Amino acid sequence: MTLTPEQTRLREVILTGCAALVLFAMGLAGFLLAGGEDDTPTRSGPVLPRLADDPGAVYTIEITTKEDRFVLQEDGEGWALLGRGGYAADAGLAARLIARLSALDYAGPRTADPARHSLLGLEAPESGGEAIEIVLRDFDSNVIGEVLIGARRGERGTYLRLPGEDQAWAADGVLPAIATPQDWMNLDFLALGAESIARAYVVPVEGPPYFLERPGLSQRNFALRAPSGWQLITPGAGNGTGTVLGRLRFRDVRPARFEERPIARYEAETFSGLRLEIAVHDTGGARWAVIRAIALTDDAMGDALALNNHADQLAFRLSELTEERMIRPLSEIAERVTRSEDAP
């Protein structure tokens, strides 16, 4: 359709006005994120210059979020989590974190208004904000680097600011997932394989102890061997409890020091002769497992030694699902048998 000269001029006016509005909105957004300052600050080079000069000097890494604070320490052979029984931390993750912090470079200023820090994930954790505070120290406890990490900036960037400064910055470089202790720990080390488990003995919090057994590798279901007078509600009702150590992931770790006695116990034995004994403790509503491995055959000695070395003097927090499967009462998987002579 051919436009008249008047329609052509009207369309040009509308397009020009729309473009002006878009440019105004972009300028306003930039003004707000830059803090509304006339004098734009500049800073270039490494965000943490001391760390960039000597990344090998890092001895401790302190990480603080609004949910938690934890410290990692280099122990000569690797990294360990202090306060969690010296549990081994992921040395590869520590190396990646230090390398990426060393490589962070300033890319430009952002807001200097504390009221807008939360927009970039840079409100301090002690104020309930989303920022991750990282402090790196050397062997003499001198600070090598200290930074607040905020939200990601696209695929290759990060928002950050330095403690004590209101000015926020965009930086080139992103960090790996490091915000929780679970990011640093191998908590899925216990995986016997469901098909390898031959029998399980359970002392639940409530109700009678019971014993489950699978007659052979070719048998799928566990049978209830004790106590007498009970039968499983379905042929596979005991399988969840019998195979709970087939593969599981714990939620946390702590020293195995408890004032109270265990509230429940669980034992599992494999066809190859490895027995695991687990004492379940309750602290503040959380359930913790203290693990001991016993080799009943020569073939199981290596596995028992490795598990005991990993779990020695430590307790591991159970997830709710694992706890429910491991120490469920007998009444949830079996029912009493009514004999004919007992019937009225």
Side-chain angles (χ1 to χ4, degrees):
M1 181 179 65
T2 303
L3 299 177
T4 66
E6 291 78 9
Q7 290 174 323
T8 301
R9 284 194 298 273
L10 178 60
R11 185 177 68 173
E12 290 175 349
V13 169
I14 293 174
L15 292 175
T16 301
C18 291
L21 286 173
V22 171
L23 291 173
F24 174 77
M26 293 174 62
L28 179 60
F31 176 80
L32 291 174
L33 281 178
E37 300 173 357
D38 293 332
D39 299 326
T40 303
T42 60
R43 195 175 285 179
S44 61
V47 173
L48 303 174
R50 290 189 60 194
L51 176 66
D53 289 341
D54 190 9
V58 178
Y59 180 65
T60 62
I61 303 172
E62 303 169 15
I63 298 176
T64 304
T65 67
K66 66 179 181 180
E67 289 90 8
D68 206 347
R69 178 185 181 276
F70 55 97
V71 180
L72 301 104
Q73 187 175 88
E74 207 279 324
D75 62 4
E77 297 181 357
W79 288 83
L81 277 157
L82 302 185
R84 284 176 164 81
Y87 193 73
D90 188 334
L93 181 57
R96 291 196 301 276
L97 174 61
I98 293 170
R100 295 192 187 184
L101 285 171
S102 301
L104 283 178
D105 285 329
Y106 288 106
R110 293 299 184 263
T111 183
D113 183 354
R116 289 197 287 273
H117 284 165
S118 60
L119 299 176
L120 302 180
L122 286 173
E123 187 176 3
E126 60 265 25
S127 302
E130 299 295 330
I132 303 170
E133 184 174 9
I134 304 173
V135 181
L136 309 173
R137 300 180 187 272
D138 63 17
F139 185 79
D140 297 317
S141 296
N142 300 312
V143 175
I144 302 173
E146 187 174 9
V147 66
L148 289 163
I149 300 295
R152 287 185 62 155
R153 182 178 63 89
E155 291 298 317
R156 299 184 178 182
T158 300
Y159 294 115
L160 58 84
R161 67 185 178 92
L162 302 183
E165 296 184 5
D166 290 334
Q167 180 64 55
W169 301 88
D172 292 328
V174 295
L175 304 186
I178 50 94
T180 71
Q182 290 74 24
D183 291 327
W184 292 89
M185 296 185 289
N186 171 23
L187 293 175
D188 54 0
F189 62 91
L190 186 49
L192 300 183
E195 70 285 348
S196 72
I197 300 173
R199 52 195 64 90
Y201 176 70
V202 184
V203 182
V205 178
E206 297 178 352
Y210 57 97
F211 177 58
L212 299 166
E213 185 175 38
R214 194 154 60 104
L217 286 168
S218 62
Q219 301 295 316
R220 178 180 178 182
N221 295 326
F222 283 78
L224 179 64
R225 301 302 189 196
S228 60
W230 291 76
Q231 67 178 12
L232 295 175
I233 55 178
T234 65
N239 293 353
T241 298
T243 62
V244 68
L245 300 187
R247 184 174 185 84
L248 62 84
R249 178 177 175 81
F250 296 107
R251 292 295 178 263
D252 206 346
V253 62
R254 54 159 287 174
R257 294 191 294 269
F258 298 95
E259 295 181 0
E260 305 296 333
R261 295 175 61 84
I263 63 167
R265 294 186 179 276
Y266 180 90
E267 295 181 10
E269 188 175 313
T270 68
F271 288 107
S272 64
L274 176 66
R275 177 188 293 166
L276 262 67
E277 298 179 351
I278 296 178
V280 179
H281 293 262
D282 180 279
T283 300
R287 301 294 170 85
W288 298 84
V290 178
I291 304 168
R292 184 171 73 122
I294 301 171
L296 304 178
T297 64
D298 291 343
D299 291 341
M301 289 184 65
D303 290 338
L305 180 61
L307 283 169
N308 285 333
N309 285 340
H310 198 104
D312 184 40
Q313 300 184 51
L314 297 172
F316 299 87
R317 185 171 180 175
L318 299 171
S319 69
E320 291 184 2
L321 177 60
T322 298
E323 174 195 341
E324 192 277 329
R325 291 178 61 197
M326 180 180 289
I327 55 174
R328 59 175 44 136
L330 178 60
S331 59
E332 292 188 6
I333 64 171
E335 57 189 2
R336 290 185 179 276
V337 178
T338 301
R339 297 175 298 179
S340 58
E341 57 268 28
D342 295 334

